[in-house]
Amino acid sequence: TTADGAIAILAGSTMGGGTTVNWACCIPTPPYVREEWAAPSGEHRLPQFAPGAEEYGVAEAAVSARIGATEEGVTHNKANRILLDGAKAMGYAAKTA
């Protein structure tokens, strides 16, 4: 939990890695993340991930289609709605998907 006990934080480890954790959340990689991965002066230096890089975009779209990922019909539980509302109230960019 947080120091004041207001927020419980669950943690653990599983067999399966990212697919276990991300089973319900599949969104396209944001451009700012791809820019970080591709930056020539950055830590990763992977130009194939640059925003607009065709091969990555095609691969990402193929994976999304294969697993049926969509932004349609997203319904958040109460906790997620509170986080979204709080982020918006504080002036952060927040959206459903």
Side-chain angles (χ1 to χ4, degrees):
T1 64
T2 54
D4 64 359
I7 299 174
I9 301 171
L10 300 176
S13 61
T14 64
M15 189 77 163
T19 51
T20 302
V21 174
N22 297 321
W23 66 273
C25 182
C26 299
I27 58 173
T29 308
Y32 73 90
V33 172
R34 292 180 61 181
E35 288 168 3
E36 179 182 325
W37 292 346
S41 61
E43 177 182 348
H44 308 291
R45 298 186 184 106
L46 301 166
Q48 65 272 30
F49 292 110
E54 187 175 343
E55 186 176 349
Y56 181 84
V58 169
E60 185 174 61
V63 169
S64 293
R66 174 79 186 262
I67 65 173
T70 179
E71 295 179 5
E72 300 299 318
V74 173
T75 304
H76 288 286
N77 63 18
K78 184 177 180 180
N80 286 343
R81 287 193 310 269
I82 290 169
L83 285 171
L84 280 168
D85 292 345
K88 289 177 184 176
M90 294 178 69
Y92 292 104
K95 61 182 185 173
T96 298

